[in-house]
Amino acid sequence: MNALNLLLERTIDYAGLFPPAGLSIAETVFRFDQYRNSSYRSRLGRLVVNWKQLDSIEEAVRRLNPADDGNCWKISALLPCVSTDGKDVIELQAALQSVADFNLRFAPSVPSDTSQADPHFVGLMVDSLEVKISHEGQIEPTTSEIRAAMDHPNDFPVDLFLEIDCHADPTALIKQTSLRRQETSDSHLYAKIRTGSVVAQEIPESREVARFIECCTTHQLPFKATAGLHHPLRGEYRMTYQPDSTRGMMHGYVNMFVATLMSVEHQLNQSQIEAILNETDSTHFQFDYNSVAWQSFRITRQRIEELRQQTLLSFGSCSFDEPTQELAAIYPTAELSV
């Protein structure tokens, strides 16, 4: 396996339900099943849905009746946005109860004496939760509420991603999240950054993303990204799939992964991270069996495997074809070993 493929293994959390794709539930489920059996299946991560759509997802999967290959469909559920002063807690509790009930019905990892799972139905499992955190206040009320609701003897560990706004200085919230992760031994607590939008003015600048990356790596807090990372390399692209769509400068997911891993491997400062994020020349990224390189910086495949679990875990994208097919067109030699 080429180091490029190792770098991008299980990276794309498919979010076809969300803009700019905005597909129906039936179409999203159909495509996710297709991607699970495609030549690029090693790139595929979770299916991203709103918590209110869980029952509809189940219905769509039952209608599709996909082949059960023994591998559960892993789902990341978006929870309602909550403020850190404890408001909106009722909706949050409803969302968490819905997730718990869903997993009790369908997750095959739940013990058989309590499980209501249909043995002839493909397994479904919400093993990831994502919630946006207010930039004011503390993370404690939200994380405590979520963990308390999900902390049942029959439950498996659920990853919790806290979306932190990178437009404002994220340092305080990242420090809080990292500290809680260490003090409570909550190894399934992570950060999340929104890297794009369908409105060009709302896309974070490279310096903001670089600040977020540097802060997360400094405090040893793994994270995921979401929105706007449809393309391998930074460049100017259409903001939506509409023919008359405006164009804007968008971040590249190869830039993101290389910048994040290099920041740890070579103790890069914010300016150096930003330089990799701003790279638009594909020839400045080099991939072979043994390593990944950007200009004079290099990282070995062994370190890639180690750092992927410690830094940038995945990114949400409403398209799976676009990021995989564009990458194959840019780096055909590296893609031969997919």
Side-chain angles (χ1 to χ4, degrees):
M1 177 185 290
N2 188 285
L4 172 63
N5 300 306
L6 188 63
L7 177 71
L8 300 176
E9 193 169 15
R10 304 296 175 200
T11 51
I12 305 176
D13 291 335
Y14 181 56
L17 292 166
F18 300 90
L23 302 177
S24 68
I25 289 177
E27 180 66 18
T28 299
V29 165
F30 173 78
R31 293 194 183 195
F32 187 72
D33 185 52
Q34 295 295 302
Y35 301 146
R36 289 176 72 245
N37 297 285
S38 73
S39 58
Y40 289 103
R41 57 186 175 276
S42 66
R43 304 275 171 83
L44 187 63
R46 297 170 168 121
L47 174 64
V48 183
V49 307
N50 186 288
W51 71 272
K52 294 181 178 179
Q53 298 169 315
L54 287 173
D55 289 342
S56 297
I57 291 293
E58 177 211 341
E59 293 173 5
V61 174
R62 287 191 180 278
R63 286 195 297 269
L64 182 64
N65 193 26
D68 185 359
D69 59 1
N71 295 315
C72 215
W73 284 33
K74 294 185 177 180
I75 298 172
S76 188
L78 304 189
L79 298 177
C81 297
V82 293
S83 58
T84 52
D85 59 7
K87 294 180 180 178
D88 308 316
V89 70
I90 295 178
E91 186 179 15
L92 177 61
Q93 290 173 335
L96 292 170
Q97 187 61 56
S98 179
V99 171
D101 291 345
F102 183 88
N103 280 347
L104 186 63
R105 294 198 306 272
F106 306 113
S109 60
V110 177
S112 58
D113 59 340
T114 59
S115 176
Q116 303 168 32
D118 180 350
H120 303 293
F121 181 59
V122 64
L124 302 175
M125 178 197 307
V126 176
D127 73 336
S128 169
L129 301 173
E130 304 179 28
V131 61
K132 187 174 182 179
I133 297 297
S134 167
H135 207 274
E136 301 296 329
Q138 306 290 314
I139 68 164
E140 180 65 26
T142 299
T143 54
S144 296
E145 187 74 31
I146 293 171
R147 284 305 188 212
M150 301 305 294
D151 186 19
H152 300 299
N154 291 330
D155 281 347
F156 44 81
V158 175
D159 291 342
L160 174 58
F161 292 89
L162 306 182
E163 182 180 330
I164 299 171
D165 183 10
C166 71
H167 290 294
D169 188 347
T171 304
L173 288 177
I174 288 175
K175 282 184 176 179
Q176 287 180 41
T177 306
S178 177
L179 184 61
R180 178 180 174 83
R181 193 172 194 263
Q182 296 169 24
E183 291 180 341
T184 62
S185 299
D186 189 351
S187 61
H188 294 272
L189 180 62
Y190 310 104
K192 174 183 171 183
I193 179 175
R194 185 164 295 273
T195 50
S197 171
V198 294
V199 179
Q201 292 77 10
E202 295 179 359
I203 298 175
E205 298 179 8
S206 294
R207 62 176 179 81
E208 295 173 323
V209 178
R211 178 178 60 187
F212 187 96
I213 291 173
E214 183 185 40
C215 194
C216 281
T217 55
T218 297
H219 294 284
Q220 299 180 330
L221 180 63
F223 67 99
K224 73 172 290 185
T226 192
L229 295 175
H230 295 188
H231 308 280
L233 298 178
R234 179 175 174 81
E236 188 176 272
Y237 304 99
R238 291 192 306 163
M239 302 302 298
T240 72
Y241 297 121
Q242 300 303 315
D244 59 348
S245 172
T246 58
R247 298 175 68 85
M249 186 62 71
M250 302 173 71
H251 295 289
Y253 69 86
V254 170
N255 301 70
M256 282 286 296
F257 279 93
V258 173
T260 302
L261 270 63
M262 291 293 186
S263 72
V264 177
E265 184 70 358
H266 298 285
Q267 291 84 50
L268 303 185
N269 59 36
Q270 186 175 320
S271 296
Q272 292 171 311
I273 297 171
E274 185 177 347
I276 301 178
L277 293 175
N278 283 332
E279 183 63 77
T280 58
D281 189 339
S282 63
T283 64
H284 289 174
F285 293 102
Q286 298 293 322
F287 307 98
D288 58 30
Y289 177 82
N290 294 308
S291 63
V292 168
W294 176 76
Q295 295 192 359
S296 62
F297 296 107
R298 185 173 297 275
I299 183 170
T300 65
R301 63 183 296 114
Q302 179 180 350
R303 288 292 287 160
I304 290 172
E305 288 186 285
E306 294 171 1
L307 293 178
R308 268 295 313 280
Q309 302 306 313
Q310 302 171 21
T311 55
L312 180 51
L313 302 175
S314 64
F315 68 97
S317 172
C318 71
S319 173
F320 184 77
D321 292 326
E322 197 168 34
T324 53
Q325 292 174 5
E326 281 191 20
L327 188 70
I330 297 171
Y331 300 108
T333 302
E335 287 285 275
L336 289 177
S337 59
V338 172

